C-alpha cells in the first residue's frame, strides 16, 4: 500500500451490479434469524478470487486493504456486519463467531464459486478457521494473518502484558502511551463509534514496527482507521477456540499485524 496516497478508491456502486464479482461496492441481503440484514462487500483486482475477512472486533474493512494482492487476485473484502455500511444487529450480544461465519458463507454462496481462497486477519482469522472447519469443500486455500487457533483469558492476559511492555519501553520519550493499556482494555458504550475510533487511532502505534521512526509513512493509514463499538459486545465465553467457539473472542480490541500462515489442499487433514 502507498502509505502517502492510499489505495485507489473503489467504484460505488459496482461497475456492473448484476455481476457479483464486478469491481466496486456490492450489497447482499442476508437472512439472519427473523431479520434481513445488509452485508456490504467490496471487489478489487483481477485474477483468482480471494475472499478477505478483516480483523476487529468492529474495525473497518479498510485496515485489510492489500493493493499488492489485487495485482494478481480478485479480492473480495467483506465489510463485517456491525461496521461501516453493513447492517446492524438488534442485539449486540449476537456479534458472535457463528454470526460472522454465517454472513461469510452467504457472501461466498452469492459469488457463485465452487471454491475460493480465504484470507482472515486477526479476529477475521478466527472466522476463517471456523469457516474452514464448517465448509472445507468451499476453500481452495486458507491464509491466516496474525491470528491464533485459540483465545480466552490467557490469550487476553498476554495481549495486555504485551501492551504494558510496549508502554514501559516508550513511556519516557512518548508520555502519551500511558493511556494505551486502558484503551486496550476498556469497553465503550455500544453506540460510541466516534469514541471507539479515537481509541483505536490513539493506540495504533503499538501495532506498527517503529511507528515514530516512520510516522510520515504510517500517519495516513492511522488517520484512516475506523472502529465501531457494538461488535465488541458480542458473545464472549471464558475460553474459546476456532473449533468449538459459540461466540467471539473476549477482548474488546483485536487489531494487529504480524505472522502469516497458509494452507492449500495439500495441507488439509
Amino acid at each position: 500500500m502507498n502509505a502517502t496516497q492510499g489505495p485507489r478508491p473503489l467504484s460505488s456502486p459496482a461497475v456492473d451490479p448484476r455481476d457479483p464479482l464486478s469491481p466496486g461496492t456490492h450489497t447482499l441481503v442476508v437472512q439472519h434469524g427473523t431479520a434481513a440484514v445488509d452485508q456490504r462487500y467490496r471487489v478489487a483486482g483481477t485474477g483468482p478470487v480471494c475472499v478477505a475477512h478483516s480483523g476487529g472486533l468492529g474495525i473497518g474493512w479498510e485496515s485489510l486493504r492489500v493493493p499488492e494482492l489485487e495485482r494478481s487476485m480478485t479480492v473480495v473484502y467483506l465489510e463485517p456486519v456491525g461496521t461501516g455500511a453493513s447492517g446492524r444487529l438488534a442485539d449486540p450480544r449476537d456479534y458472535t463467531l457463528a454470526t460472522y461465519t454465517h454472513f461469510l458463507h452467504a457472501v461466498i454462496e452469492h459469488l457463485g464459486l465452487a471454491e475460493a481462497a480465504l484470507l482472515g486477519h486477526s479476529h477475521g482469522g478466527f472466522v476463517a478457521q471456523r469457516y474452514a472447519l464448517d465448509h472445507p469443500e468451499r476453500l481452495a486455500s486458507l491464509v491466516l494473518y496474525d491470528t491464533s487457533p485459540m483465545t480466552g483469558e490467557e490469550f487476553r492476559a498476554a495481549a495486555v502484558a504485551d501492551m504494558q511492555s510496549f508502554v514501559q519501553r516508550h513511556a519516557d520519550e512518548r508520555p502519551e502511551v500511558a493511556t494505551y493499556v486502558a484503551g486496550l482494555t476498556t469497553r465503550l458504550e455500544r453506540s460510541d463509534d466516534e469514541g471507539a475510533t479515537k481509541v483505536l487511532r490513539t493506540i495504533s502505534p503499538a501495532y506498527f514496527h517503529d511507528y515514530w521512526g516512520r510516522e510520515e509513512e504510517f500517519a495516513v493509514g492511522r488517520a484512516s482507521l475506523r472502529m465501531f463499538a457494538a461488535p465488541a459486545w458480542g458473545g464472549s465465553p471464558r475460553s474459546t477456540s476456532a473449533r468449538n467457539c459459540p461466540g467471539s473472542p473476549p477482548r474488546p480490541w483485536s487489531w494487529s499485524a504480524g505472522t502469516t500462515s497458509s494452507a492449500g489442499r495439500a495441507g488439509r487433514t
Side-chain angles (χ1 to χ4, degrees):
M1 173 178 178
N2 186 321
T4 302
Q5 299 178 355
R8 181 178 301 175
L10 299 179
S11 301
S12 182
V15 174
D16 181 1
R18 298 168 299 178
D19 178 0
L21 286 170
S22 174
T25 304
H26 299 254
T27 301
L28 169 66
V29 177
V30 178
Q31 195 67 32
H32 181 63
T34 60
V37 182
D38 284 351
Q39 170 63 69
R40 185 70 62 95
Y41 70 90
R42 323 282 176 129
V43 179
T46 181
V49 175
C50 176
V51 179
H53 200 296
S54 57
L57 295 159
I59 295 176
W61 72 276
E62 304 93 339
S63 65
L64 191 57
R65 183 83 190 271
V66 190
E68 292 84 355
L69 186 61
E70 296 166 14
R71 295 172 185 169
S72 58
M73 302 193 79
T74 299
V75 186
V76 178
Y77 298 98
L78 269 73
E79 192 160 346
V81 63
T83 71
S86 285
R88 303 298 190 263
L89 302 180
D91 185 347
R93 295 171 298 179
D94 200 24
Y95 290 105
T96 66
L97 193 59
T99 295
Y100 288 112
T101 305
H102 170 70
F103 278 86
L104 170 60
H105 185 58
V107 171
I108 292 178
E109 289 275 279
H110 177 70
L111 297 177
L113 302 173
E115 59 181 22
L118 177 60
L119 166 64
H121 171 234
S122 192
H123 175 261
F126 291 111
V127 180
Q129 290 174 79
R130 175 67 176 263
Y131 188 82
L133 291 167
D134 291 348
H135 304 282
E137 74 286 352
R138 302 306 298 270
L139 299 184
S141 59
L142 175 65
V143 182
L144 302 176
Y145 174 23
D146 198 48
T147 187
S148 168
M150 296 191 68
T151 182
E153 293 301 328
E154 183 177 352
F155 182 85
R156 180 165 61 175
V160 174
D162 286 345
M163 184 65 81
Q164 291 171 333
S165 177
F166 179 87
V167 170
Q168 291 171 0
R169 293 196 306 273
H170 296 282
D172 289 342
E173 70 273 18
R174 296 285 174 180
E176 66 269 26
V177 302
T179 65
Y180 282 21
V181 174
L184 180 69
T185 57
T186 301
R187 185 158 61 176
L188 301 177
E189 292 297 322
R190 54 180 178 260
S191 62
D192 190 5
D193 295 340
E194 182 178 347
T197 294
K198 181 178 179 180
V199 169
L200 177 62
R201 292 178 183 176
T202 296
I203 71 173
S204 63
Y207 298 98
F208 290 88
H209 175 67
D210 190 25
Y211 176 85
W212 290 292
R214 303 168 61 185
E215 188 165 11
E216 183 176 351
E217 178 183 355
F218 292 143
V220 171
R222 183 186 188 184
S224 71
L225 291 171
R226 295 186 300 160
M227 184 84 180
F228 300 87
W233 290 76
S236 53
R238 301 184 66 85
S239 178
T240 67
S241 71
R243 181 170 295 277
N244 58 24
C245 173
S248 301
R251 61 173 177 158
W253 313 104
S254 176
W255 181 80
S256 55
T259 58
T260 305
S261 63
S262 63
R265 290 186 180 281
R268 292 182 183 169
T269 58

